[in-house]
Amino acid sequence: APLHRCAVAANVQMAKMLLECGADINAVSLRGGAALHIAVSLGHKEFVRFLIEANADVNMVNSAGHTALHIASALDLSGQMATLLIRAGARCDSVDPLTGDTPLHLCGLKGNHATAGLMLNHSCGASLAVTDHVGILPITLAQWHGHTEVESLLRHSPPHSSGDNGRGEGTSTVAGVQHACDRASGQTPLVFAPGDVDRVFAHAEARYGATLVHHAPSVAVLDSFITAEEGEKLLSACEGSFAPSVHES
């Protein structure tokens, strides 16, 4: 549609004319996105600002289940797009129906420190404790992909929500995450509070009938979350369930 072409070219003047002639600002293109999704994905800040001021729906999802904030979290590491969207009322708790990712998950995946900080400093629904469809937390994604700044930000941020995560499981803040083995993925992110090993193991045994450590992504993940004393406790308790990379250490 013409408005979508304007979004690609960042042609604000032509877009204004189209809207004055009755064009639907939230119309979906053949590829499944509205003009706002297109503009955000291409980094056209002023066109995004124009669409927001013209009352585009900032929480509309595209055919992939992504809001504009999902896209900004994945692609715009400057945080400028997220600033515009959040100030306009974009929700930080929108969930991708396919993966279960929130925008904060994508910040962890892509190392988007600026946008993660914005979400945690605004009351837009961002939660440190919501897991995706395979039980993974935003902080875990940051850790696995080596995004240490985002991992540190999430670890030291106060919680913005707690309670039930939608699957009947109690959630907790990063200070005491009980992230036990997930049967869907067969992996364990090993995110828990040092010193709380007994409680976390008890939770894992009671809920899953399994130990916490199934497939640690790397020795570095292990080293970054547990002390030597706790490591000995893990070794004795897991009874050979470590991944090969940990055995080799």
Side-chain angles (χ1 to χ4, degrees):
L3 185 60
H4 301 121
R5 293 181 182 178
C6 288
V8 172
N11 191 331
V12 172
Q13 292 305 316
M14 182 60 71
K16 284 181 179 179
M17 294 176 58
L18 290 170
L19 293 180
E20 288 171 359
C21 292
D24 182 359
I25 196 170
N26 296 314
V28 176
S29 72
L30 293 176
R31 295 188 177 183
L36 182 62
H37 298 117
I38 296 169
V40 169
S41 68
L42 294 174
H44 296 326
K45 180 181 176 182
E46 293 308 314
F47 199 89
V48 169
R49 190 194 306 276
F50 158 72
L51 290 173
I52 289 174
E53 291 175 351
N55 296 317
D57 183 356
V58 295
N59 290 307
M60 181 178 176
V61 297
N62 62 15
S63 60
H66 296 155
T67 64
L69 188 56
H70 276 98
I71 297 170
S73 299
L75 299 178
D76 177 32
L77 300 185
S78 72
Q80 294 181 9
M81 295 295 179
T83 299
L84 293 173
L85 293 166
I86 291 172
R87 286 177 178 173
R91 295 294 304 170
C92 301
D93 55 358
S94 299
V95 176
D96 180 333
L98 179 63
T99 65
D101 287 338
T102 64
L104 200 57
H105 280 91
L106 296 180
C107 287
L109 177 67
K110 299 295 185 177
N112 196 336
H113 183 273
T115 298
L118 284 167
M119 286 192 281
L120 293 172
N121 285 321
H122 288 78
S123 299
C124 59
S127 173
L128 300 168
V130 171
T131 60
D132 64 15
H133 288 341
V134 293
I136 305 301
L137 292 162
I139 191 174
T140 306
L141 290 172
Q143 175 68 25
W144 282 3
H145 291 275
H147 301 310
T148 56
E149 288 189 359
V150 176
E151 187 271 336
S152 179
L153 171 68
L154 298 179
R155 181 169 298 284
H156 296 100
S157 295
H160 279 240
S161 65
S162 60
D164 192 278
N165 65 6
R167 286 188 293 280
E169 303 171 14
T171 58
S172 55
T173 66
V174 173
V177 172
Q178 301 175 20
H179 203 50
C181 77
D182 186 285
R183 285 181 173 174
S185 66
Q187 296 181 335
T188 302
L190 290 171
V191 183
F192 55 86
D196 243 358
V197 176
D198 288 333
R199 180 170 62 82
V200 176
F201 263 108
H203 174 82
E205 291 287 347
R207 188 169 188 85
Y208 300 95
T211 58
L212 268 177
V213 183
H214 276 191
H215 297 290
S218 68
V219 176
V221 172
L222 219 55
D223 290 342
S224 64
F225 286 109
I226 62 175
T227 66
E229 181 181 352
E230 289 160 353
E232 291 299 320
K233 186 177 294 187
L234 286 169
L235 283 168
S236 62
C238 287
E239 299 177 341
S241 63
F242 279 85
S245 61
V246 180
H247 276 307
E248 294 167 6
S249 66

